[in-house]
mmCIF file of all heavy atoms in Angstrom:
data_model
loop_
_atom_site.group_PDB
_atom_site.id
_atom_site.type_symbol
_atom_site.label_atom_id
_atom_site.label_comp_id
_atom_site.label_asym_id
_atom_site.label_seq_id
_atom_site.Cartn_x
_atom_site.Cartn_y
_atom_site.Cartn_z
ATOM 1 N N ARG A 2148 -16.190 -19.477 39.260
ATOM 2 C CA ARG A 2148 -15.724 -18.218 39.840
ATOM 3 C C ARG A 2148 -15.785 -18.323 41.357
ATOM 4 O O ARG A 2148 -16.405 -19.238 41.902
ATOM 5 C CB ARG A 2148 -16.601 -17.052 39.380
ATOM 6 C CG ARG A 2148 -16.537 -16.766 37.904
ATOM 7 C CD ARG A 2148 -17.289 -15.476 37.590
ATOM 8 N NE ARG A 2148 -18.733 -15.628 37.681
ATOM 9 C CZ ARG A 2148 -19.587 -14.610 37.749
ATOM 10 N NH1 ARG A 2148 -19.131 -13.373 37.777
ATOM 11 N NH2 ARG A 2148 -20.884 -14.817 37.802
ATOM 12 N N ALA A 2149 -15.137 -17.375 42.027
ATOM 13 C CA ALA A 2149 -15.242 -17.328 43.481
ATOM 14 C C ALA A 2149 -16.706 -17.120 43.845
ATOM 15 O O ALA A 2149 -17.299 -16.099 43.519
ATOM 16 C CB ALA A 2149 -14.380 -16.196 44.027
ATOM 17 N N THR A 2150 -17.295 -18.123 44.516
ATOM 18 C CA THR A 2150 -18.723 -18.121 44.817
ATOM 19 C C THR A 2150 -18.918 -18.380 46.298
ATOM 20 O O THR A 2150 -18.198 -19.185 46.903
ATOM 21 C CB THR A 2150 -19.456 -19.183 43.979
ATOM 22 O OG1 THR A 2150 -19.183 -18.935 42.588
ATOM 23 C CG2 THR A 2150 -20.949 -19.132 44.200
ATOM 24 N N PHE A 2151 -19.917 -17.692 46.884
ATOM 25 C CA PHE A 2151 -20.103 -17.742 48.323
ATOM 26 C C PHE A 2151 -21.584 -17.911 48.648
ATOM 27 O O PHE A 2151 -22.455 -17.412 47.931
ATOM 28 C CB PHE A 2151 -19.584 -16.459 48.978
ATOM 29 C CG PHE A 2151 -18.180 -16.114 48.574
ATOM 30 C CD1 PHE A 2151 -17.939 -15.299 47.476
ATOM 31 C CD2 PHE A 2151 -17.095 -16.629 49.266
ATOM 32 C CE1 PHE A 2151 -16.652 -14.989 47.080
ATOM 33 C CE2 PHE A 2151 -15.804 -16.330 48.883
ATOM 34 C CZ PHE A 2151 -15.575 -15.509 47.784
ATOM 35 N N THR A 2152 -21.841 -18.634 49.749
ATOM 36 C CA THR A 2152 -23.199 -18.798 50.257
ATOM 37 C C THR A 2152 -23.301 -18.087 51.594
ATOM 38 O O THR A 2152 -22.438 -18.251 52.466
ATOM 39 C CB THR A 2152 -23.556 -20.282 50.427
ATOM 40 O OG1 THR A 2152 -23.444 -20.946 49.166
ATOM 41 C CG2 THR A 2152 -24.969 -20.446 50.961
ATOM 42 N N LEU A 2153 -24.367 -17.299 51.758
ATOM 43 C CA LEU A 2153 -24.569 -16.550 52.988
ATOM 44 C C LEU A 2153 -25.825 -17.023 53.691
ATOM 45 O O LEU A 2153 -26.818 -17.363 53.037
ATOM 46 C CB LEU A 2153 -24.658 -15.055 52.699
ATOM 47 C CG LEU A 2153 -23.328 -14.459 52.247
ATOM 48 C CD1 LEU A 2153 -23.354 -14.175 50.752
ATOM 49 C CD2 LEU A 2153 -22.979 -13.209 53.029
ATOM 50 N N MET A 2154 -25.763 -17.034 55.024
ATOM 51 C CA MET A 2154 -26.919 -17.393 55.851
ATOM 52 C C MET A 2154 -26.981 -16.412 57.023
ATOM 53 O O MET A 2154 -25.970 -15.832 57.420
ATOM 54 C CB MET A 2154 -26.792 -18.823 56.385
ATOM 55 C CG MET A 2154 -26.859 -19.908 55.321
ATOM 56 S SD MET A 2154 -28.538 -20.274 54.792
ATOM 57 C CE MET A 2154 -29.193 -21.138 56.228
ATOM 58 N N THR A 2155 -28.177 -16.254 57.592
ATOM 59 C CA THR A 2155 -28.343 -15.360 58.734
ATOM 60 C C THR A 2155 -29.285 -15.981 59.749
ATOM 61 O O THR A 2155 -30.093 -16.850 59.409
ATOM 62 C CB THR A 2155 -28.888 -13.996 58.276
ATOM 63 O OG1 THR A 2155 -28.971 -13.107 59.382
ATOM 64 C CG2 THR A 2155 -30.267 -14.122 57.637
ATOM 65 N N ASP A 2156 -29.185 -15.502 61.004
ATOM 66 C CA ASP A 2156 -30.063 -16.024 62.052
ATOM 67 C C ASP A 2156 -31.353 -15.214 62.193
ATOM 68 O O ASP A 2156 -32.384 -15.738 62.605
ATOM 69 C CB ASP A 2156 -29.327 -16.080 63.397
ATOM 70 C CG ASP A 2156 -28.864 -14.712 63.864
ATOM 71 O OD1 ASP A 2156 -28.732 -13.799 63.018
ATOM 72 O OD2 ASP A 2156 -28.613 -14.545 65.074
ATOM 73 N N VAL A 2157 -31.297 -13.924 61.869
ATOM 74 C CA VAL A 2157 -32.497 -13.076 61.826
ATOM 75 C C VAL A 2157 -32.420 -12.258 60.547
ATOM 76 O O VAL A 2157 -31.366 -12.177 59.910
ATOM 77 C CB VAL A 2157 -32.587 -12.133 63.057
ATOM 78 C CG1 VAL A 2157 -32.769 -12.933 64.331
ATOM 79 C CG2 VAL A 2157 -31.379 -11.218 63.141
ATOM 80 N N LEU A 2158 -33.513 -11.628 60.185
ATOM 81 C CA LEU A 2158 -33.524 -10.874 58.941
ATOM 82 C C LEU A 2158 -32.382 -9.861 58.933
ATOM 83 O O LEU A 2158 -32.206 -9.092 59.877
ATOM 84 C CB LEU A 2158 -34.853 -10.137 58.753
ATOM 85 C CG LEU A 2158 -34.899 -9.413 57.395
ATOM 86 C CD1 LEU A 2158 -35.944 -10.010 56.492
ATOM 87 C CD2 LEU A 2158 -35.130 -7.922 57.574
ATOM 88 N N ALA A 2159 -31.618 -9.878 57.856
ATOM 89 C CA ALA A 2159 -30.498 -8.947 57.686
ATOM 90 C C ALA A 2159 -30.798 -8.042 56.509
ATOM 91 O O ALA A 2159 -31.082 -8.516 55.409
ATOM 92 C CB ALA A 2159 -29.204 -9.715 57.447
ATOM 93 N N LYS A 2160 -30.760 -6.743 56.743
ATOM 94 C CA LYS A 2160 -31.158 -5.786 55.714
ATOM 95 C C LYS A 2160 -29.932 -5.087 55.145
ATOM 96 O O LYS A 2160 -29.049 -4.647 55.854
ATOM 97 C CB LYS A 2160 -32.135 -4.770 56.297
ATOM 98 C CG LYS A 2160 -32.912 -4.014 55.237
ATOM 99 C CD LYS A 2160 -34.287 -3.624 55.726
ATOM 100 C CE LYS A 2160 -35.067 -2.888 54.629
ATOM 101 N NZ LYS A 2160 -35.235 -3.679 53.402
#
Side-chain angles (χ1 to χ4, degrees):
R2148 295 188 287 164
T2150 304
F2151 308 91
T2152 301
L2153 291 106
M2154 293 281 288
T2155 183
D2156 61 338
V2157 295
L2158 184 114
K2160 197 149 181 59

